[in-house]
Amino acid sequence: MAVRPAWEVRENEGATRWFEFRLAFADGARVDALAVVGGGCVCVEEVRAQPPLSLDDLAVLADWIEESVAEACGTGPGSDGSGSEGRRARPAWPRGAEGRLLVAREYRAAQRDGADPVLAVMGATGHSRRTSLRLIGQARDAGLLSPRRARR
């Protein structure tokens, strides 16, 4: 994936930044996207794909873009932390056992309140639905949440 800063607008103490993305595949498929980072979030403004993307592929693309933007801003896993600190696109969330425990707490609190537990985990972590479901699965595997009920 090629990531290129497109432009930046500074206002007061904050900044809004746009990034262009290009994914080119060996079979000739191509995806071009424009994402904006500002106000503590990452938004995909435009996507052009040849051939067109399915909804599942679009969700995966959003995860790739989020990670790439974080790295380009100096806050992602590939950054070395040197220079000025970038702003995170989502709140910091602990990894490992502590993160799984917090996911389980958010999940159970939402259940108790009659809210959607997956949306509660998404809101607390700032992650996509797909990533939140993976975190919930990890909490289940660790025995912090009851096993899923079998569907009939």
Side-chain angles (χ1 to χ4, degrees):
M1 175 182 293
V3 180
R4 190 173 60 117
W7 63 91
E8 180 175 330
V9 176
R10 292 195 175 274
E11 186 173 358
N12 299 324
E13 294 181 17
T16 302
R17 300 168 70 183
W18 283 261
F19 294 89
E20 294 176 332
F21 297 86
R22 173 166 281 176
L23 284 98
F25 299 93
D27 64 358
R30 191 178 85 212
V31 178
D32 294 304
L34 180 67
V36 62
V37 179
C41 65
V42 176
C43 298
V44 178
E45 289 198 344
E46 183 178 334
V47 175
R48 294 181 187 173
Q50 189 62 33
L53 297 174
S54 69
L55 289 177
D56 290 337
D57 292 338
L58 195 56
V60 170
L61 176 68
D63 287 342
W64 283 351
I65 286 175
E66 183 178 36
E67 291 171 11
S68 297
V69 166
E71 288 181 23
C73 291
T75 61
S79 65
D80 61 3
S82 62
S84 63
E85 288 188 35
R87 290 173 25 181
R88 293 186 64 86
R90 61 177 173 242
W93 191 259
R95 295 179 183 261
E98 183 182 357
R100 288 189 295 273
L101 182 62
L102 292 173
V103 164
R105 285 183 186 160
E106 288 291 333
Y107 188 94
R108 285 192 304 268
Q111 280 183 321
R112 187 176 51 249
D113 297 340
D116 184 333
V118 177
L119 289 178
V121 171
M122 289 171 63
T125 63
H127 287 291
S128 67
R129 181 173 187 83
R130 181 178 178 193
T131 302
S132 295
L133 287 169
R134 184 174 46 80
L135 293 171
I136 291 166
Q138 290 172 353
R140 283 189 203 289
D141 292 345
L144 301 170
L145 293 171
S146 60
R148 288 185 3 189
R149 289 180 241 158
R151 293 184 181 181
R152 292 181 183 224

PDB file of all heavy atoms in Angstrom, residues 13-49:
ATOM      1  N   GLU A  13      -5.071  25.270  17.485  1.00  0.00           N
ATOM      2  CA  GLU A  13      -4.050  24.306  17.902  1.00  0.00           C
ATOM      3  C   GLU A  13      -4.206  22.952  17.218  1.00  0.00           C
ATOM      4  O   GLU A  13      -3.404  22.059  17.432  1.00  0.00           O
ATOM      5  CB  GLU A  13      -4.099  24.133  19.419  1.00  0.00           C
ATOM      6  CG  GLU A  13      -3.702  25.384  20.159  1.00  0.00           C
ATOM      7  CD  GLU A  13      -3.724  25.195  21.662  1.00  0.00           C
ATOM      8  OE1 GLU A  13      -3.722  24.036  22.118  1.00  0.00           O
ATOM      9  OE2 GLU A  13      -3.747  26.197  22.367  1.00  0.00           O
ATOM     10  N   GLY A  14      -5.228  22.769  16.425  1.00  0.00           N
ATOM     11  CA  GLY A  14      -5.472  21.480  15.784  1.00  0.00           C
ATOM     12  C   GLY A  14      -5.134  21.508  14.308  1.00  0.00           C
ATOM     13  O   GLY A  14      -4.840  22.551  13.721  1.00  0.00           O
ATOM     14  N   ALA A  15      -5.178  20.327  13.718  1.00  0.00           N
ATOM     15  CA  ALA A  15      -4.907  20.190  12.289  1.00  0.00           C
ATOM     16  C   ALA A  15      -5.789  19.084  11.722  1.00  0.00           C
ATOM     17  O   ALA A  15      -6.098  18.115  12.399  1.00  0.00           O
ATOM     18  CB  ALA A  15      -3.436  19.863  12.045  1.00  0.00           C
ATOM     19  N   THR A  16      -6.188  19.270  10.484  1.00  0.00           N
ATOM     20  CA  THR A  16      -6.902  18.244   9.737  1.00  0.00           C
ATOM     21  C   THR A  16      -5.997  17.859   8.585  1.00  0.00           C
ATOM     22  O   THR A  16      -5.504  18.727   7.864  1.00  0.00           O
ATOM     23  CB  THR A  16      -8.256  18.770   9.232  1.00  0.00           C
ATOM     24  OG1 THR A  16      -9.022  19.212  10.350  1.00  0.00           O
ATOM     25  CG2 THR A  16      -9.009  17.699   8.487  1.00  0.00           C
ATOM     26  N   ARG A  17      -5.771  16.549   8.423  1.00  0.00           N
ATOM     27  CA  ARG A  17      -4.843  16.061   7.407  1.00  0.00           C
ATOM     28  C   ARG A  17      -5.541  15.063   6.495  1.00  0.00           C
ATOM     29  O   ARG A  17      -6.300  14.221   6.957  1.00  0.00           O
ATOM     30  CB  ARG A  17      -3.638  15.405   8.074  1.00  0.00           C
ATOM     31  CG  ARG A  17      -2.872  16.367   8.967  1.00  0.00           C
ATOM     32  CD  ARG A  17      -1.881  15.683   9.844  1.00  0.00           C
ATOM     33  NE  ARG A  17      -0.767  15.159   9.055  1.00  0.00           N
ATOM     34  CZ  ARG A  17       0.228  14.457   9.581  1.00  0.00           C
ATOM     35  NH1 ARG A  17       0.255  14.168  10.855  1.00  0.00           N
ATOM     36  NH2 ARG A  17       1.195  14.023   8.813  1.00  0.00           N
ATOM     37  N   TRP A  18      -5.257  15.158   5.195  1.00  0.00           N
ATOM     38  CA  TRP A  18      -5.787  14.227   4.210  1.00  0.00           C
ATOM     39  C   TRP A  18      -4.655  13.357   3.697  1.00  0.00           C
ATOM     40  O   TRP A  18      -3.533  13.825   3.527  1.00  0.00           O
ATOM     41  CB  TRP A  18      -6.406  14.989   3.039  1.00  0.00           C
ATOM     42  CG  TRP A  18      -7.741  15.559   3.323  1.00  0.00           C
ATOM     43  CD1 TRP A  18      -8.944  15.024   2.979  1.00  0.00           C
ATOM     44  CD2 TRP A  18      -8.036  16.793   3.992  1.00  0.00           C
ATOM     45  NE1 TRP A  18      -9.965  15.840   3.405  1.00  0.00           N
ATOM     46  CE2 TRP A  18      -9.432  16.937   4.027  1.00  0.00           C
ATOM     47  CE3 TRP A  18      -7.260  17.783   4.582  1.00  0.00           C
ATOM     48  CZ2 TRP A  18     -10.057  18.015   4.609  1.00  0.00           C
ATOM     49  CZ3 TRP A  18      -7.883  18.864   5.169  1.00  0.00           C
ATOM     50  CH2 TRP A  18      -9.270  18.969   5.178  1.00  0.00           C
ATOM     51  N   PHE A  19      -4.971  12.088   3.430  1.00  0.00           N
ATOM     52  CA  PHE A  19      -3.999  11.130   2.914  1.00  0.00           C
ATOM     53  C   PHE A  19      -4.591  10.411   1.713  1.00  0.00           C
ATOM     54  O   PHE A  19      -5.763  10.045   1.714  1.00  0.00           O
ATOM     55  CB  PHE A  19      -3.633  10.092   3.986  1.00  0.00           C
ATOM     56  CG  PHE A  19      -2.895  10.667   5.150  1.00  0.00           C
ATOM     57  CD1 PHE A  19      -3.584  11.166   6.236  1.00  0.00           C
ATOM     58  CD2 PHE A  19      -1.509  10.708   5.155  1.00  0.00           C
ATOM     59  CE1 PHE A  19      -2.909  11.701   7.320  1.00  0.00           C
ATOM     60  CE2 PHE A  19      -0.829  11.238   6.233  1.00  0.00           C
ATOM     61  CZ  PHE A  19      -1.520  11.737   7.318  1.00  0.00           C
ATOM     62  N   GLU A  20      -3.753  10.191   0.704  1.00  0.00           N
ATOM     63  CA  GLU A  20      -4.143   9.406  -0.463  1.00  0.00           C
ATOM     64  C   GLU A  20      -3.535   8.016  -0.339  1.00  0.00           C
ATOM     65  O   GLU A  20      -2.390   7.870   0.090  1.00  0.00           O
ATOM     66  CB  GLU A  20      -3.629  10.061  -1.751  1.00  0.00           C
ATOM     67  CG  GLU A  20      -4.266  11.397  -2.026  1.00  0.00           C
ATOM     68  CD  GLU A  20      -3.675  12.071  -3.254  1.00  0.00           C
ATOM     69  OE1 GLU A  20      -2.501  11.829  -3.577  1.00  0.00           O
ATOM     70  OE2 GLU A  20      -4.416  12.842  -3.871  1.00  0.00           O
ATOM     71  N   PHE A  21      -4.313   7.011  -0.709  1.00  0.00           N
ATOM     72  CA  PHE A  21      -3.880   5.613  -0.625  1.00  0.00           C
ATOM     73  C   PHE A  21      -4.035   4.965  -1.979  1.00  0.00           C
ATOM     74  O   PHE A  21      -5.003   5.226  -2.691  1.00  0.00           O
ATOM     75  CB  PHE A  21      -4.758   4.833   0.363  1.00  0.00           C
ATOM     76  CG  PHE A  21      -4.671   5.341   1.754  1.00  0.00           C
ATOM     77  CD1 PHE A  21      -5.468   6.382   2.182  1.00  0.00           C
ATOM     78  CD2 PHE A  21      -3.777   4.783   2.643  1.00  0.00           C
ATOM     79  CE1 PHE A  21      -5.384   6.864   3.467  1.00  0.00           C
ATOM     80  CE2 PHE A  21      -3.681   5.261   3.933  1.00  0.00           C
ATOM     81  CZ  PHE A  21      -4.484   6.295   4.341  1.00  0.00           C
ATOM     82  N   ARG A  22      -3.105   4.088  -2.295  1.00  0.00           N
ATOM     83  CA  ARG A  22      -3.225   3.283  -3.509  1.00  0.00           C
ATOM     84  C   ARG A  22      -2.772   1.871  -3.202  1.00  0.00           C
ATOM     85  O   ARG A  22      -1.686   1.650  -2.679  1.00  0.00           O
ATOM     86  CB  ARG A  22      -2.405   3.843  -4.644  1.00  0.00           C
ATOM     87  CG  ARG A  22      -2.408   2.872  -5.844  1.00  0.00           C
ATOM     88  CD  ARG A  22      -1.931   3.463  -7.086  1.00  0.00           C
ATOM     89  NE  ARG A  22      -3.035   4.257  -7.617  1.00  0.00           N
ATOM     90  CZ  ARG A  22      -2.937   5.000  -8.699  1.00  0.00           C
ATOM     91  NH1 ARG A  22      -1.807   5.075  -9.344  1.00  0.00           N
ATOM     92  NH2 ARG A  22      -3.969   5.681  -9.143  1.00  0.00           N
ATOM     93  N   LEU A  23      -3.645   0.934  -3.511  1.00  0.00           N
ATOM     94  CA  LEU A  23      -3.311  -0.484  -3.430  1.00  0.00           C
ATOM     95  C   LEU A  23      -3.358  -1.016  -4.849  1.00  0.00           C
ATOM     96  O   LEU A  23      -4.372  -0.868  -5.524  1.00  0.00           O
ATOM     97  CB  LEU A  23      -4.339  -1.247  -2.589  1.00  0.00           C
ATOM     98  CG  LEU A  23      -4.251  -1.077  -1.092  1.00  0.00           C
ATOM     99  CD1 LEU A  23      -5.244  -0.051  -0.632  1.00  0.00           C
ATOM    100  CD2 LEU A  23      -4.550  -2.388  -0.456  1.00  0.00           C
ATOM    101  N   ALA A  24      -2.285  -1.622  -5.284  1.00  0.00           N
ATOM    102  CA  ALA A  24      -2.241  -2.227  -6.605  1.00  0.00           C
ATOM    103  C   ALA A  24      -1.911  -3.705  -6.420  1.00  0.00           C
ATOM    104  O   ALA A  24      -0.990  -4.051  -5.686  1.00  0.00           O
ATOM    105  CB  ALA A  24      -1.188  -1.545  -7.463  1.00  0.00           C
ATOM    106  N   PHE A  25      -2.689  -4.557  -7.073  1.00  0.00           N
ATOM    107  CA  PHE A  25      -2.528  -5.998  -6.940  1.00  0.00           C
ATOM    108  C   PHE A  25      -1.948  -6.581  -8.227  1.00  0.00           C
ATOM    109  O   PHE A  25      -2.077  -6.000  -9.303  1.00  0.00           O
ATOM    110  CB  PHE A  25      -3.870  -6.646  -6.608  1.00  0.00           C
ATOM    111  CG  PHE A  25      -4.450  -6.154  -5.317  1.00  0.00           C
ATOM    112  CD1 PHE A  25      -5.335  -5.088  -5.298  1.00  0.00           C
ATOM    113  CD2 PHE A  25      -4.093  -6.748  -4.117  1.00  0.00           C
ATOM    114  CE1 PHE A  25      -5.857  -4.623  -4.102  1.00  0.00           C
ATOM    115  CE2 PHE A  25      -4.607  -6.289  -2.921  1.00  0.00           C
ATOM    116  CZ  PHE A  25      -5.494  -5.224  -2.911  1.00  0.00           C
ATOM    117  N   ALA A  26      -1.316  -7.737  -8.101  1.00  0.00           N
ATOM    118  CA  ALA A  26      -0.650  -8.383  -9.234  1.00  0.00           C
ATOM    119  C   ALA A  26      -1.619  -8.707 -10.365  1.00  0.00           C
ATOM    120  O   ALA A  26      -1.229  -8.701 -11.534  1.00  0.00           O
ATOM    121  CB  ALA A  26       0.051  -9.658  -8.772  1.00  0.00           C
ATOM    122  N   ASP A  27      -2.887  -8.954 -10.048  1.00  0.00           N
ATOM    123  CA  ASP A  27      -3.860  -9.312 -11.085  1.00  0.00           C
ATOM    124  C   ASP A  27      -4.445  -8.088 -11.795  1.00  0.00           C
ATOM    125  O   ASP A  27      -5.332  -8.207 -12.620  1.00  0.00           O
ATOM    126  CB  ASP A  27      -4.984 -10.162 -10.498  1.00  0.00           C
ATOM    127  CG  ASP A  27      -5.814  -9.415  -9.457  1.00  0.00           C
ATOM    128  OD1 ASP A  27      -5.498  -8.247  -9.147  1.00  0.00           O
ATOM    129  OD2 ASP A  27      -6.781 -10.014  -8.951  1.00  0.00           O
ATOM    130  N   GLY A  28      -3.944  -6.901 -11.478  1.00  0.00           N
ATOM    131  CA  GLY A  28      -4.410  -5.686 -12.130  1.00  0.00           C
ATOM    132  C   GLY A  28      -5.470  -4.925 -11.349  1.00  0.00           C
ATOM    133  O   GLY A  28      -5.835  -3.810 -11.716  1.00  0.00           O
ATOM    134  N   ALA A  29      -5.982  -5.512 -10.284  1.00  0.00           N
ATOM    135  CA  ALA A  29      -6.972  -4.814  -9.461  1.00  0.00           C
ATOM    136  C   ALA A  29      -6.298  -3.626  -8.772  1.00  0.00           C
ATOM    137  O   ALA A  29      -5.101  -3.655  -8.469  1.00  0.00           O
ATOM    138  CB  ALA A  29      -7.567  -5.763  -8.426  1.00  0.00           C
ATOM    139  N   ARG A  30      -7.088  -2.569  -8.543  1.00  0.00           N
ATOM    140  CA  ARG A  30      -6.531  -1.371  -7.938  1.00  0.00           C
ATOM    141  C   ARG A  30      -7.578  -0.694  -7.063  1.00  0.00           C
ATOM    142  O   ARG A  30      -8.763  -0.693  -7.376  1.00  0.00           O
ATOM    143  CB  ARG A  30      -6.085  -0.410  -9.027  1.00  0.00           C
ATOM    144  CG  ARG A  30      -5.271   0.735  -8.501  1.00  0.00           C
ATOM    145  CD  ARG A  30      -4.805   1.639  -9.594  1.00  0.00           C
ATOM    146  NE  ARG A  30      -5.886   2.583  -9.859  1.00  0.00           N
ATOM    147  CZ  ARG A  30      -6.153   3.107 -11.043  1.00  0.00           C
ATOM    148  NH1 ARG A  30      -5.434   2.782 -12.079  1.00  0.00           N
ATOM    149  NH2 ARG A  30      -7.142   3.951 -11.188  1.00  0.00           N
ATOM    150  N   VAL A  31      -7.125  -0.130  -5.920  1.00  0.00           N
ATOM    151  CA  VAL A  31      -7.993   0.624  -5.024  1.00  0.00           C
ATOM    152  C   VAL A  31      -7.302   1.947  -4.718  1.00  0.00           C
ATOM    153  O   VAL A  31      -6.139   1.964  -4.313  1.00  0.00           O
ATOM    154  CB  VAL A  31      -8.268  -0.131  -3.703  1.00  0.00           C
ATOM    155  CG1 VAL A  31      -9.143   0.702  -2.778  1.00  0.00           C
ATOM    156  CG2 VAL A  31      -8.911  -1.474  -3.967  1.00  0.00           C
ATOM    157  N   ASP A  32      -8.016   3.053  -4.946  1.00  0.00           N
ATOM    158  CA  ASP A  32      -7.543   4.387  -4.582  1.00  0.00           C
ATOM    159  C   ASP A  32      -8.508   4.940  -3.552  1.00  0.00           C
ATOM    160  O   ASP A  32      -9.733   4.791  -3.694  1.00  0.00           O
ATOM    161  CB  ASP A  32      -7.514   5.311  -5.800  1.00  0.00           C
ATOM    162  CG  ASP A  32      -6.488   4.877  -6.827  1.00  0.00           C
ATOM    163  OD1 ASP A  32      -5.313   4.752  -6.441  1.00  0.00           O
ATOM    164  OD2 ASP A  32      -6.860   4.669  -7.997  1.00  0.00           O
ATOM    165  N   ALA A  33      -7.976   5.551  -2.495  1.00  0.00           N
ATOM    166  CA  ALA A  33      -8.832   6.089  -1.440  1.00  0.00           C
ATOM    167  C   ALA A  33      -8.264   7.408  -0.932  1.00  0.00           C
ATOM    168  O   ALA A  33      -7.064   7.664  -1.022  1.00  0.00           O
ATOM    169  CB  ALA A  33      -8.951   5.097  -0.285  1.00  0.00           C
ATOM    170  N   LEU A  34      -9.151   8.220  -0.366  1.00  0.00           N
ATOM    171  CA  LEU A  34      -8.784   9.472   0.287  1.00  0.00           C
ATOM    172  C   LEU A  34      -9.372   9.432   1.686  1.00  0.00           C
ATOM    173  O   LEU A  34     -10.569   9.207   1.861  1.00  0.00           O
ATOM    174  CB  LEU A  34      -9.354  10.668  -0.487  1.00  0.00           C
ATOM    175  CG  LEU A  34      -9.058  12.046   0.084  1.00  0.00           C
ATOM    176  CD1 LEU A  34      -7.558  12.355  -0.013  1.00  0.00           C
ATOM    177  CD2 LEU A  34      -9.854  13.109  -0.654  1.00  0.00           C
ATOM    178  N   ALA A  35      -8.511   9.610   2.690  1.00  0.00           N
ATOM    179  CA  ALA A  35      -8.956   9.579   4.087  1.00  0.00           C
ATOM    180  C   ALA A  35      -8.543  10.881   4.754  1.00  0.00           C
ATOM    181  O   ALA A  35      -7.533  11.484   4.401  1.00  0.00           O
ATOM    182  CB  ALA A  35      -8.347   8.394   4.829  1.00  0.00           C
ATOM    183  N   VAL A  36      -9.342  11.295   5.740  1.00  0.00           N
ATOM    184  CA  VAL A  36      -9.061  12.528   6.473  1.00  0.00           C
ATOM    185  C   VAL A  36      -8.924  12.196   7.955  1.00  0.00           C
ATOM    186  O   VAL A  36      -9.668  11.370   8.479  1.00  0.00           O
ATOM    187  CB  VAL A  36     -10.155  13.590   6.228  1.00  0.00           C
ATOM    188  CG1 VAL A  36     -11.513  13.131   6.716  1.00  0.00           C
ATOM    189  CG2 VAL A  36      -9.798  14.916   6.875  1.00  0.00           C
ATOM    190  N   VAL A  37      -7.946  12.827   8.605  1.00  0.00           N
ATOM    191  CA  VAL A  37      -7.719  12.657  10.034  1.00  0.00           C
ATOM    192  C   VAL A  37      -7.929  14.011  10.684  1.00  0.00           C
ATOM    193  O   VAL A  37      -7.272  14.987  10.326  1.00  0.00           O
ATOM    194  CB  VAL A  37      -6.285  12.169  10.336  1.00  0.00           C
ATOM    195  CG1 VAL A  37      -6.068  12.037  11.831  1.00  0.00           C
ATOM    196  CG2 VAL A  37      -6.007  10.863   9.638  1.00  0.00           C
ATOM    197  N   GLY A  38      -8.845  14.064  11.631  1.00  0.00           N
ATOM    198  CA  GLY A  38      -9.103  15.307  12.339  1.00  0.00           C
ATOM    199  C   GLY A  38     -10.142  15.091  13.412  1.00  0.00           C
ATOM    200  O   GLY A  38     -10.982  14.199  13.308  1.00  0.00           O
ATOM    201  N   GLY A  39     -10.065  15.872  14.463  1.00  0.00           N
ATOM    202  CA  GLY A  39     -11.040  15.746  15.536  1.00  0.00           C
ATOM    203  C   GLY A  39     -10.982  14.402  16.235  1.00  0.00           C
ATOM    204  O   GLY A  39     -11.980  13.940  16.772  1.00  0.00           O
ATOM    205  N   GLY A  40      -9.827  13.756  16.208  1.00  0.00           N
ATOM    206  CA  GLY A  40      -9.671  12.487  16.902  1.00  0.00           C
ATOM    207  C   GLY A  40     -10.216  11.280  16.168  1.00  0.00           C
ATOM    208  O   GLY A  40     -10.378  10.221  16.757  1.00  0.00           O
ATOM    209  N   CYS A  41     -10.513  11.409  14.862  1.00  0.00           N
ATOM    210  CA  CYS A  41     -11.025  10.242  14.137  1.00  0.00           C
ATOM    211  C   CYS A  41     -10.453  10.191  12.725  1.00  0.00           C
ATOM    212  O   CYS A  41      -9.906  11.170  12.226  1.00  0.00           O
ATOM    213  CB  CYS A  41     -12.547  10.248  14.098  1.00  0.00           C
ATOM    214  SG  CYS A  41     -13.245  11.607  13.161  1.00  0.00           S
ATOM    215  N   VAL A  42     -10.596   9.032  12.105  1.00  0.00           N
ATOM    216  CA  VAL A  42     -10.192   8.815  10.722  1.00  0.00           C
ATOM    217  C   VAL A  42     -11.457   8.569   9.922  1.00  0.00           C
ATOM    218  O   VAL A  42     -12.267   7.719  10.283  1.00  0.00           O
ATOM    219  CB  VAL A  42      -9.255   7.590  10.599  1.00  0.00           C
ATOM    220  CG1 VAL A  42      -8.918   7.320   9.138  1.00  0.00           C
ATOM    221  CG2 VAL A  42      -8.002   7.785  11.418  1.00  0.00           C
ATOM    222  N   CYS A  43     -11.647   9.326   8.841  1.00  0.00           N
ATOM    223  CA  CYS A  43     -12.818   9.154   7.981  1.00  0.00           C
ATOM    224  C   CYS A  43     -12.353   8.887   6.553  1.00  0.00           C
ATOM    225  O   CYS A  43     -11.470   9.574   6.056  1.00  0.00           O
ATOM    226  CB  CYS A  43     -13.690  10.404   7.986  1.00  0.00           C
ATOM    227  SG  CYS A  43     -14.362  10.814   9.588  1.00  0.00           S
ATOM    228  N   VAL A  44     -12.946   7.897   5.919  1.00  0.00           N
ATOM    229  CA  VAL A  44     -12.662   7.618   4.515  1.00  0.00           C
ATOM    230  C   VAL A  44     -13.637   8.462   3.706  1.00  0.00           C
ATOM    231  O   VAL A  44     -14.849   8.315   3.831  1.00  0.00           O
ATOM    232  CB  VAL A  44     -12.826   6.117   4.192  1.00  0.00           C
ATOM    233  CG1 VAL A  44     -12.584   5.867   2.714  1.00  0.00           C
ATOM    234  CG2 VAL A  44     -11.898   5.285   5.045  1.00  0.00           C
ATOM    235  N   GLU A  45     -13.100   9.372   2.894  1.00  0.00           N
ATOM    236  CA  GLU A  45     -13.949  10.287   2.136  1.00  0.00           C
ATOM    237  C   GLU A  45     -14.298   9.766   0.756  1.00  0.00           C
ATOM    238  O   GLU A  45     -15.361  10.037   0.243  1.00  0.00           O
ATOM    239  CB  GLU A  45     -13.275  11.653   2.018  1.00  0.00           C
ATOM    240  CG  GLU A  45     -13.252  12.405   3.327  1.00  0.00           C
ATOM    241  CD  GLU A  45     -13.005  13.878   3.139  1.00  0.00           C
ATOM    242  OE1 GLU A  45     -12.564  14.301   2.055  1.00  0.00           O
ATOM    243  OE2 GLU A  45     -13.270  14.616   4.100  1.00  0.00           O
ATOM    244  N   GLU A  46     -13.376   9.032   0.147  1.00  0.00           N
ATOM    245  CA  GLU A  46     -13.624   8.575  -1.207  1.00  0.00           C
ATOM    246  C   GLU A  46     -12.881   7.269  -1.443  1.00  0.00           C
ATOM    247  O   GLU A  46     -11.741   7.108  -0.998  1.00  0.00           O
ATOM    248  CB  GLU A  46     -13.134   9.635  -2.205  1.00  0.00           C
ATOM    249  CG  GLU A  46     -13.406   9.307  -3.630  1.00  0.00           C
ATOM    250  CD  GLU A  46     -12.946  10.421  -4.560  1.00  0.00           C
ATOM    251  OE1 GLU A  46     -12.882  11.582  -4.142  1.00  0.00           O
ATOM    252  OE2 GLU A  46     -12.648  10.101  -5.714  1.00  0.00           O
ATOM    253  N   VAL A  47     -13.535   6.347  -2.158  1.00  0.00           N
ATOM    254  CA  VAL A  47     -12.901   5.085  -2.535  1.00  0.00           C
ATOM    255  C   VAL A  47     -13.257   4.806  -3.991  1.00  0.00           C
ATOM    256  O   VAL A  47     -14.422   4.885  -4.373  1.00  0.00           O
ATOM    257  CB  VAL A  47     -13.375   3.901  -1.653  1.00  0.00           C
ATOM    258  CG1 VAL A  47     -12.782   2.594  -2.153  1.00  0.00           C
ATOM    259  CG2 VAL A  47     -13.015   4.126  -0.207  1.00  0.00           C
ATOM    260  N   ARG A  48     -12.243   4.490  -4.763  1.00  0.00           N
ATOM    261  CA  ARG A  48     -12.437   4.052  -6.150  1.00  0.00           C
ATOM    262  C   ARG A  48     -11.721   2.722  -6.297  1.00  0.00           C
ATOM    263  O   ARG A  48     -10.539   2.618  -5.967  1.00  0.00           O
ATOM    264  CB  ARG A  48     -11.861   5.062  -7.129  1.00  0.00           C
ATOM    265  CG  ARG A  48     -12.590   6.371  -7.112  1.00  0.00           C
ATOM    266  CD  ARG A  48     -12.001   7.322  -8.101  1.00  0.00           C
ATOM    267  NE  ARG A  48     -12.620   8.621  -7.936  1.00  0.00           N
ATOM    268  CZ  ARG A  48     -12.230   9.695  -8.556  1.00  0.00           C
ATOM    269  NH1 ARG A  48     -11.203   9.645  -9.387  1.00  0.00           N
ATOM    270  NH2 ARG A  48     -12.837  10.842  -8.350  1.00  0.00           N
ATOM    271  N   ALA A  49     -12.442   1.719  -6.777  1.00  0.00           N
ATOM    272  CA  ALA A  49     -11.854   0.390  -6.898  1.00  0.00           C
ATOM    273  C   ALA A  49     -12.207  -0.226  -8.242  1.00  0.00           C
ATOM    274  O   ALA A  49     -13.322  -0.073  -8.731  1.00  0.00           O
ATOM    275  CB  ALA A  49     -12.360  -0.507  -5.775  1.00  0.00           C
TER     276      ALA A  49
END
